[in-house]
Amino acid sequence: MTKPIIAPSILASDFANLEREVKMINDSQADWVHVDIMDGVFVPNISMGLPVVEAVKRHAQKPLDVHLMIVHPERYVEAFHKAGAAIISVHVEACPHLHRNIQQIKSLGCKAGVAINPHTSVTELENIIADIDLVCVMAVNPGFGAQKFIEHTYLKVKKLRQLITESGSSALIEIDGGVNLQNAASLREAGADVLVAGNFVFSSSTPKEVIRQLKELH
Ligand code: DX5
Ligand code: ZN
Protein backbone atom coordinates (compact mmCIF):
# COMPACT_ATOMS: atom_id res chain seq x y z
CA MET A 1 0.00 0.00 0.00
CA THR A 2 1.21 3.51 -0.75
CA LYS A 3 1.76 5.99 2.04
CA PRO A 4 -1.13 8.19 3.18
CA ILE A 5 -1.42 11.84 2.25
CA ILE A 6 -1.11 13.90 5.43
CA ALA A 7 -2.92 17.22 5.70
CA PRO A 8 -2.34 19.13 8.96
CA SER A 9 -5.28 21.40 9.75
CA ILE A 10 -4.11 24.91 10.55
CA LEU A 11 -7.32 25.55 12.49
CA ALA A 12 -5.43 24.09 15.45
CA SER A 13 -2.27 26.13 14.85
CA ASP A 14 -1.11 29.27 16.63
CA PHE A 15 -2.66 32.04 14.52
CA ALA A 16 -0.37 34.61 16.08
CA ASN A 17 2.53 32.68 14.58
CA LEU A 18 0.98 31.49 11.35
CA GLU A 19 4.15 31.97 9.31
CA ARG A 20 6.11 29.76 11.70
CA GLU A 21 3.35 27.12 11.70
CA VAL A 22 3.16 27.02 7.89
CA LYS A 23 6.94 26.76 7.67
CA MET A 24 6.82 23.83 10.10
CA ILE A 25 4.45 22.12 7.64
CA ASN A 26 6.82 23.00 4.76
CA ASP A 27 9.70 21.35 6.60
CA SER A 28 7.69 18.27 7.56
CA GLN A 29 6.60 15.19 5.63
CA ALA A 30 3.08 16.62 5.31
CA ASP A 31 1.63 16.73 1.80
CA TRP A 32 -1.13 19.35 1.97
CA VAL A 33 -2.21 22.20 4.23
CA HIS A 34 -5.83 21.74 5.33
CA VAL A 35 -7.69 25.05 5.70
CA ASP A 36 -11.08 25.11 7.46
CA ILE A 37 -13.47 27.88 6.49
CA MET A 38 -16.52 28.27 8.77
CA ASP A 39 -19.28 30.82 8.27
CA GLY A 40 -21.27 30.69 11.52
CA VAL A 41 -24.32 29.62 9.49
CA PHE A 42 -23.65 26.15 8.09
CA VAL A 43 -21.65 25.41 11.24
CA PRO A 44 -21.94 27.04 14.68
CA ASN A 45 -18.51 28.64 14.54
CA ILE A 46 -16.55 31.22 12.53
CA SER A 47 -12.92 30.47 11.69
CA MET A 48 -11.00 32.40 9.06
CA GLY A 49 -11.59 34.09 5.74
CA LEU A 50 -9.85 35.05 2.52
CA PRO A 51 -7.08 37.32 3.91
CA VAL A 52 -5.88 34.50 6.15
CA VAL A 53 -5.87 32.02 3.27
CA GLU A 54 -3.83 34.52 1.23
CA ALA A 55 -1.37 34.87 4.11
CA VAL A 56 -1.00 31.10 4.41
CA LYS A 57 -0.48 30.83 0.67
CA ARG A 58 2.37 33.37 0.77
CA HIS A 59 4.41 30.96 2.91
CA ALA A 60 3.07 27.51 2.00
CA GLN A 61 5.10 25.28 -0.28
CA LYS A 62 2.39 22.62 -0.30
CA PRO A 63 -1.09 22.63 -1.87
CA LEU A 64 -3.88 24.29 0.11
CA ASP A 65 -6.78 21.90 0.74
CA VAL A 66 -9.65 24.27 1.46
CA HIS A 67 -12.66 22.82 3.28
CA LEU A 68 -15.63 25.14 2.91
CA MET A 69 -18.14 24.74 5.75
CA ILE A 70 -20.29 27.51 4.35
CA VAL A 71 -23.65 28.06 2.70
CA HIS A 72 -23.68 29.39 -0.88
CA PRO A 73 -20.13 28.27 -1.67
CA GLU A 74 -20.71 29.28 -5.32
CA ARG A 75 -20.38 32.90 -4.21
CA TYR A 76 -16.86 32.37 -2.90
CA VAL A 77 -15.07 29.54 -4.73
CA GLU A 78 -13.53 31.86 -7.29
CA ALA A 79 -12.14 34.06 -4.52
CA PHE A 80 -10.70 31.03 -2.70
CA HIS A 81 -9.14 29.87 -5.95
CA LYS A 82 -7.53 33.31 -6.35
CA ALA A 83 -6.40 33.20 -2.73
CA GLY A 84 -4.43 30.03 -3.50
CA ALA A 85 -6.67 26.99 -3.03
CA ALA A 86 -5.58 23.91 -4.97
CA ILE A 87 -8.39 21.68 -3.72
CA ILE A 88 -11.82 23.02 -2.75
CA SER A 89 -14.38 20.88 -0.93
CA VAL A 90 -18.01 21.83 -0.42
CA HIS A 91 -20.57 20.13 1.82
CA VAL A 92 -23.26 18.02 0.22
CA GLU A 93 -25.64 19.24 2.96
CA ALA A 94 -25.08 22.87 1.92
CA CYS A 95 -25.44 22.36 -1.84
CA PRO A 96 -28.80 21.74 -3.51
CA HIS A 97 -26.98 22.18 -6.84
CA LEU A 98 -23.94 20.10 -6.03
CA HIS A 99 -23.20 19.09 -9.62
CA ARG A 100 -23.11 22.75 -10.66
CA ASN A 101 -20.84 23.60 -7.70
CA ILE A 102 -18.42 20.84 -8.68
CA GLN A 103 -18.30 21.98 -12.30
CA GLN A 104 -17.59 25.53 -11.15
CA ILE A 105 -14.66 24.41 -8.97
CA LYS A 106 -13.22 22.29 -11.78
CA SER A 107 -13.62 25.06 -14.34
CA LEU A 108 -11.27 27.18 -12.22
CA GLY A 109 -8.61 24.48 -12.46
CA CYS A 110 -8.97 23.33 -8.85
CA LYS A 111 -9.49 19.78 -7.67
CA ALA A 112 -13.07 19.34 -6.46
CA GLY A 113 -14.10 17.63 -3.25
CA VAL A 114 -17.35 16.87 -1.49
CA ALA A 115 -17.55 16.72 2.30
CA ILE A 116 -20.17 14.69 4.14
CA ASN A 117 -21.34 15.11 7.72
CA PRO A 118 -21.38 12.13 10.11
CA HIS A 119 -25.11 11.49 9.58
CA THR A 120 -24.92 11.65 5.78
CA SER A 121 -24.90 8.31 3.98
CA VAL A 122 -22.26 7.63 1.34
CA THR A 123 -25.11 6.65 -1.00
CA GLU A 124 -25.78 10.41 -1.30
CA LEU A 125 -22.64 10.47 -3.46
CA GLU A 126 -23.72 7.83 -5.99
CA ASN A 127 -24.54 10.36 -8.71
CA ILE A 128 -21.52 12.61 -8.20
CA ILE A 129 -18.69 10.24 -7.29
CA ALA A 130 -17.44 9.90 -10.89
CA ASP A 131 -17.08 13.69 -11.18
CA ILE A 132 -15.08 14.45 -8.05
CA ASP A 133 -11.45 14.21 -6.97
CA LEU A 134 -11.99 13.83 -3.25
CA VAL A 135 -14.55 12.86 -0.62
CA CYS A 136 -14.00 14.44 2.78
CA VAL A 137 -15.60 12.12 5.33
CA MET A 138 -16.28 14.03 8.53
CA ALA A 139 -15.39 11.92 11.56
CA VAL A 140 -16.72 14.63 13.89
CA ASN A 141 -19.56 17.12 13.50
CA PRO A 142 -17.97 20.03 11.65
CA GLY A 143 -17.41 23.32 13.43
CA PHE A 144 -14.68 22.70 15.95
CA GLY A 145 -11.29 21.08 16.27
CA ALA A 146 -10.22 18.66 19.00
CA GLN A 147 -13.46 16.65 19.11
CA LYS A 148 -13.80 12.93 19.69
CA PHE A 149 -13.55 10.63 16.67
CA ILE A 150 -16.88 8.95 15.75
CA GLU A 151 -16.30 5.18 15.45
CA HIS A 152 -19.05 4.68 12.85
CA THR A 153 -16.69 6.38 10.39
CA TYR A 154 -14.88 3.08 9.67
CA LEU A 155 -18.05 1.54 8.24
CA LYS A 156 -18.69 4.59 6.08
CA VAL A 157 -15.16 4.53 4.72
CA LYS A 158 -15.52 0.85 3.77
CA LYS A 159 -18.82 1.55 1.98
CA LEU A 160 -17.31 4.54 0.25
CA ARG A 161 -14.30 2.53 -0.89
CA GLN A 162 -16.71 0.02 -2.43
CA LEU A 163 -18.70 2.78 -4.16
CA ILE A 164 -15.50 4.27 -5.58
CA THR A 165 -14.28 0.90 -6.87
CA GLU A 166 -17.63 0.02 -8.43
CA SER A 167 -18.02 3.39 -10.14
CA GLY A 168 -14.48 3.52 -11.46
CA SER A 169 -14.01 6.90 -9.77
CA SER A 170 -10.50 8.06 -8.88
CA ALA A 171 -11.71 10.10 -5.88
CA LEU A 172 -9.50 10.07 -2.82
CA ILE A 173 -11.01 9.38 0.59
CA GLU A 174 -10.07 12.01 3.17
CA ILE A 175 -10.85 11.67 6.87
CA ASP A 176 -11.38 14.85 8.81
CA GLY A 177 -11.80 15.10 12.59
CA GLY A 178 -10.31 13.35 15.58
CA VAL A 179 -7.57 11.59 13.63
CA ASN A 180 -4.68 10.31 15.74
CA LEU A 181 -2.27 7.40 15.88
CA GLN A 182 -4.89 5.23 17.60
CA ASN A 183 -7.32 5.29 14.69
CA ALA A 184 -5.13 6.12 11.68
CA ALA A 185 -4.05 2.55 10.88
CA SER A 186 -7.64 1.25 11.00
CA LEU A 187 -8.75 4.15 8.81
CA ARG A 188 -6.08 3.21 6.29
CA GLU A 189 -7.23 -0.41 6.37
CA ALA A 190 -10.80 0.69 5.75
CA GLY A 191 -9.67 2.58 2.67
CA ALA A 192 -8.65 6.12 3.64
CA ASP A 193 -6.12 7.92 1.42
CA VAL A 194 -5.84 11.31 3.14
CA LEU A 195 -5.61 11.98 6.87
CA VAL A 196 -6.40 15.46 8.18
CA ALA A 197 -5.03 16.12 11.66
CA GLY A 198 -5.39 19.33 13.62
CA ASN A 199 -5.18 19.03 17.35
CA PHE A 200 -3.12 15.83 17.24
CA VAL A 201 -0.35 17.62 15.31
CA PHE A 202 -0.43 21.11 16.76
CA SER A 203 -0.89 20.24 20.42
CA SER A 204 2.27 18.17 20.25
CA SER A 205 5.62 19.63 21.27
CA THR A 206 7.08 17.70 18.32
CA PRO A 207 4.60 18.29 15.47
CA LYS A 208 6.99 17.23 12.71
CA GLU A 209 7.56 13.93 14.46
CA VAL A 210 3.80 13.38 14.78
CA ILE A 211 3.41 14.08 11.06
CA ARG A 212 6.22 11.61 10.33
CA GLN A 213 4.53 8.93 12.41
CA LEU A 214 1.22 9.41 10.57
CA LYS A 215 3.05 9.35 7.24
CA GLU A 216 4.87 6.12 8.05
CA LEU A 217 1.59 4.22 8.42
CA HIS A 218 0.87 1.77 5.64
C1 DX5 B 1 -13.70 20.40 11.90
C2 DX5 B 1 -12.65 20.67 10.85
C3 DX5 B 1 -11.43 19.82 10.98
C4 DX5 B 1 -10.62 20.08 12.21
C5 DX5 B 1 -9.86 18.83 12.53
O1 DX5 B 1 -14.84 21.13 11.60
O2 DX5 B 1 -13.18 20.46 9.57
O3 DX5 B 1 -10.60 19.95 9.84
O4 DX5 B 1 -9.71 21.14 12.05
O5 DX5 B 1 -9.27 19.02 13.75
P1 DX5 B 1 -8.94 17.84 14.74
O6 DX5 B 1 -7.95 16.96 14.05
O7 DX5 B 1 -8.42 18.53 15.94
O8 DX5 B 1 -10.24 17.09 15.00
ZN1 ZN C 1 -11.70 20.32 7.77
Side-chain angles (χ1 to χ4, degrees), residues 9 34-36 67 69 136 138 176 196:
S9 168
H34 188 81
V35 184
D36 287 310
H67 176 194
M69 286 162 272
C136 176
M138 293 307 301
D176 189 7
V196 174

Side-chain angles (χ1 to χ4, degrees), residues 16-218:
N17 288 290
L18 206 43
E19 179 178 352
R20 186 193 69 198
E21 301 284 54
V22 172
K23 285 183 172 163
M24 181 282 290
I25 296 175
N26 290 343
D27 295 340
S28 76
Q29 290 184 45
D31 302 276
W32 299 347
V33 182
H34 188 81
V35 184
D36 287 310
I37 308 297
M38 303 176 183
D39 65 353
V41 179
F42 179 65
V43 287
N45 195 11
I46 297 174
S47 58
M48 64 194 99
L50 290 157
V52 178
V53 180
E54 284 163 11
V56 170
K57 177 65 185 169
R58 275 202 295 280
H59 300 292
Q61 291 166 356
K62 301 185 178 180
L64 302 192
D65 170 34
V66 175
H67 176 194
L68 296 181
M69 286 162 272
I70 66 175
V71 297
H72 295 301
E74 69 280 0
R75 295 180 184 167
Y76 304 100
V77 291
E78 190 169 353
F80 280 106
H81 160 64
K82 285 196 180 128
I87 305 149
I88 298 179
S89 295
V90 295
H91 266 266
V92 65
E93 303 85 2
C95 295
H97 302 289
L98 184 62
H99 186 271
R100 181 182 289 150
N101 301 130
I102 294 303
Q103 299 311 317
Q104 184 193 14
I105 294 168
K106 287 166 91 170
S107 74
L108 295 166
C110 291
K111 300 274 186 206
V114 173
I116 57 171
N117 279 342
H119 78 278
T120 301
S121 168
V122 298
T123 57
E124 291 281 317
L125 300 171
E126 266 174 18
N127 298 314
I128 199 78
I129 194 73
D131 297 301
I132 59 181
D133 301 295
L134 179 107
V135 179
C136 176
V137 178
M138 293 307 301
V140 299
N141 284 293
F144 304 91
Q147 300 182 80
K148 192 175 176 297
F149 178 83
I150 297 171
E151 299 283 324
H152 181 67
T153 308
Y154 298 121
L155 191 60
K156 284 178 75 174
V157 175
K158 281 185 195 145
K159 287 184 181 166
L160 179 56
R161 175 51 64 203
Q162 200 177 344
L163 177 65
I164 288 173
T165 305
E166 283 167 9
S167 64
S169 165
S170 52
L172 297 173
I173 301 178
E174 175 177 70
I175 314 298
D176 189 7
V179 171
N180 57 38
L181 274 172
Q182 256 93 61
N183 53 32
S186 305
L187 286 168
R188 287 286 286 157
E189 254 166 58
D193 303 294
V194 186
L195 301 174
V196 174
N199 185 60
F200 188 59
V201 167
F202 287 98
S203 69
S204 165
S205 54
T206 54
K208 277 190 266 188
E209 174 58 16
V210 168
I211 292 168
R212 191 194 64 77
Q213 287 173 338
L214 287 168
K215 185 76 189 174
E216 291 310 313
L217 290 167
H218 294 288

